Amino acid sequence: MNALLLLIVGFALAITDARPAHAFAACNNNYGLAPRTGATLPPRARLVAFTDIESWGSHAYRATLDGKPVTLKVTKKKIAPYYLTELEVESDKGGTLDIYAGTDTKDKPMATYTVKLGAALPKEIVATTRRFTQNIRHSTVQELFDALAIDFGDAPAILAHVKIRRDDKAPWSELDLPVHANTHLEKSMSTALIGALGCKSNYTVGLLENGVDLVVTAMLPDGKLVPVKLPARVTLPKAVKQP
């Protein structure tokens, strides 16, 4: 009887222990690779892959240039709540660049770029803002994106540095944000998100709705920072109530 009781208790504990892992695994949409696929890049371009799941931050990446393997210089960084992987293409040649996640040669590329000698990159980015909302329901957890989206349009941004404050009486806070580009959330644009980010957040949505002061710069694939043109004060549009 004691052995049976121990077996039942052990099984119950196993189920209990599995719940957090299941809930955590459901929050798996806050990831991506920048710049946006199809962009024209200079040789030795930098790219950034990101995720907010620690185990995914250890993923390996590989690249080909005109179908031939090319070396990537890899740098791992933690910028809460993100785990970043900076990829630098170690080649001075032009051609078609494909980026892959993992080592399986049968996988399709995450993104494809054109590497061009003398590729022109913007010296300033004119951005726009909007409210980005996506409610992803799982069996055990709600994964809610409700954020101020800073859209960089066609600019091949890879990271955004944001100075933000409630008003001129409050101190500045500084955020480093990956650019959402090659994800199912934002495939066609280069977008930085501030607010609720799935199961995590980097700023309070209520404060964004009341308005904030913003100063933004963006990093491009050549590693240079450029100013981002936005209104000095931005207000998150009110959420549209669903019927």
Side-chain angles (χ1 to χ4, degrees):
M1 180 65 69
N2 288 340
L4 179 59
L5 180 61
L6 287 173
L7 180 62
I8 294 172
V9 171
F11 181 69
L13 287 174
I15 295 175
T16 303
D17 289 343
R19 286 175 182 170
H22 177 70
F24 182 77
C27 298
N28 57 4
N29 291 284
N30 197 10
Y31 68 91
L33 173 69
R36 59 183 180 80
T37 190
T40 298
L41 309 178
R44 296 195 171 275
R46 297 184 184 184
L47 305 93
V48 172
F50 70 90
T51 176
D52 64 358
I53 299 177
E54 185 173 6
S55 61
W56 288 16
S58 62
H59 280 181
Y61 297 88
R62 65 184 182 88
T64 61
L65 190 62
D66 284 343
K68 298 179 181 179
V70 64
T71 301
L72 293 174
K73 180 181 177 181
V74 178
T75 304
K76 301 283 186 177
K77 293 183 178 180
K78 173 70 166 74
I79 300 178
Y82 294 106
Y83 299 88
L84 305 183
T85 303
E86 293 185 1
L87 307 171
E88 185 174 350
V89 182
E90 295 197 318
S91 173
D92 295 314
K93 297 180 179 180
T96 299
L97 175 69
D98 289 318
I99 302 294
Y100 300 83
T103 57
D104 190 342
T105 57
K106 295 180 181 179
D107 286 343
K108 294 182 179 179
M110 298 176 64
T112 298
Y113 307 97
T114 297
V115 179
K116 182 179 179 182
L117 278 65
L121 295 177
K123 296 182 179 180
E124 180 186 69
I125 297 174
V126 178
T128 58
T129 60
R130 60 190 165 96
R131 188 171 195 143
F132 173 76
T133 304
Q134 187 164 342
N135 190 351
I136 305 171
R137 294 188 177 274
H138 304 281
S139 59
T140 57
V141 70
Q142 181 182 24
E143 187 177 4
L144 176 64
F145 289 83
D146 190 16
L148 176 68
I150 304 173
D151 291 328
F152 302 121
D154 291 336
I158 59 173
L159 288 171
H161 181 75
V162 176
K163 291 180 63 178
I164 185 170
R165 64 182 181 181
R166 182 183 67 247
D167 52 40
D168 58 6
K169 298 179 179 60
W172 289 99
S173 297
E174 299 192 33
L175 305 172
D176 286 307
L177 310 176
V179 174
H180 288 249
N182 300 303
T183 76
H184 67 279
L185 295 177
E186 292 286 2
K187 288 185 178 179
S188 60
M189 299 190 72
S190 299
T191 303
L193 298 177
I194 307 174
L197 308 171
C199 295
K200 299 183 181 180
S201 67
N202 57 7
Y203 205 77
T204 304
V205 173
L207 292 177
L208 294 169
E209 289 181 330
N210 290 330
V212 291
D213 295 338
L214 283 181
V215 178
V216 183
T217 56
M219 180 179 288
L220 299 179
D222 60 358
K224 293 181 180 178
L225 292 173
V226 298
V228 176
K229 190 174 182 180
L230 279 170
R233 187 159 184 85
V234 174
T235 300
L236 181 67
K238 294 293 184 180
V240 177
K241 293 184 178 180
Q242 299 298 323

